[in-house]
Coordinates of all heavy atoms in Angstrom, one line a residue:
Chain A
H39 N 77.5 109.3 63.7 CA 78.6 108.7 63.0 C 79.1 109.6 61.9 O 80.4 109.8 61.7 CB 78.3 107.3 62.4 CG 79.4 106.7 61.7 ND1 80.4 106.0 62.3 CD2 79.7 106.6 60.3 CE1 81.3 105.6 61.4 NE2 80.8 105.9 60.2
E40 N 78.2 110.2 61.2 CA 78.6 111.2 60.1 C 79.4 112.3 60.7 O 80.4 112.8 60.1 CB 77.3 111.8 59.5 CG 76.5 110.8 58.6 CD 77.2 110.7 57.2 OE1 77.4 111.7 56.6 OE2 77.5 109.5 56.8
Q41 N 78.9 112.8 61.8 CA 79.6 114.0 62.4 C 81.0 113.5 62.9 O 81.9 114.3 62.9 CB 78.8 114.4 63.7 CG 77.5 115.0 63.4 CD 76.6 115.2 64.7 OE1 77.1 115.0 65.8 NE2 75.4 115.7 64.5
G42 N 81.1 112.3 63.3 CA 82.4 111.8 63.8 C 82.5 112.0 65.3 O 81.9 113.0 65.8
Y43 N 83.3 111.2 66.0 CA 83.5 111.4 67.4 C 84.8 110.6 67.8 O 85.2 109.7 67.1 CB 82.3 110.9 68.3 CG 82.0 109.4 68.0 CD1 82.5 108.4 68.7 CD2 81.2 109.1 66.9 CE1 82.2 107.1 68.4 CE2 80.9 107.8 66.6 CZ 81.4 106.8 67.3 OH 81.1 105.5 67.0
S44 N 85.5 111.1 68.8 CA 86.8 110.5 69.1 C 86.8 109.5 70.2 O 87.6 108.7 70.4 CB 87.8 111.6 69.5 OG 87.3 112.3 70.6
N45 N 85.8 109.7 71.1 CA 85.6 108.7 72.2 C 84.2 108.8 72.7 O 83.4 109.7 72.3 CB 86.7 109.0 73.3 CG 86.7 110.4 73.8 OD1 85.7 111.1 73.8 ND2 87.8 110.9 74.2
I46 N 83.8 107.9 73.6 CA 82.5 107.8 74.2 C 82.5 107.8 75.7 O 83.3 107.1 76.3 CB 81.7 106.5 73.7 CG1 81.7 106.4 72.2 CG2 80.3 106.4 74.3 CD1 81.1 105.1 71.7
F47 N 81.7 108.7 76.3 CA 81.5 108.7 77.7 C 80.1 108.3 78.1 O 79.1 108.9 77.6 CB 81.8 110.1 78.3 CG 83.3 110.4 78.3 CD1 83.9 110.9 77.1 CD2 84.1 110.2 79.4 CE1 85.2 111.2 77.1 CE2 85.4 110.5 79.3 CZ 86.0 111.0 78.2
L48 N 80.0 107.3 79.0 CA 78.7 106.9 79.5 C 78.5 107.6 80.8 O 79.2 107.3 81.8 CB 78.7 105.4 79.6 CG 79.0 104.6 78.4 CD1 79.3 103.1 78.7 CD2 77.8 104.7 77.4
L49 N 77.6 108.5 80.8 CA 77.4 109.4 82.0 C 76.2 108.9 82.8 O 75.0 108.8 82.3 CB 77.1 110.8 81.5 CG 76.6 111.8 82.5 CD1 77.8 112.2 83.5 CD2 76.1 113.1 81.8
G50 N 76.4 108.5 84.0 CA 75.4 108.0 84.8 C 75.6 108.3 86.3 O 76.6 108.9 86.6
I51 N 74.7 107.9 87.2 CA 75.0 107.9 88.6 C 74.0 106.9 89.3 O 72.9 106.8 88.9 CB 74.8 109.4 89.2 CG1 75.3 109.4 90.6 CG2 73.3 109.8 89.1 CD1 75.8 110.7 91.1
G52 N 74.6 106.2 90.2 CA 73.8 105.1 90.8 C 73.4 104.1 89.8 O 74.2 103.6 89.0

Side-chain angles (χ1 to χ4, degrees):
Chain A
H39 180 78
E40 287 283 305
Q41 296 169 3
Y43 55 94
S44 61
N45 53 30
I46 301 175
F47 286 85
L48 302 165
L49 172 71
I51 190 154

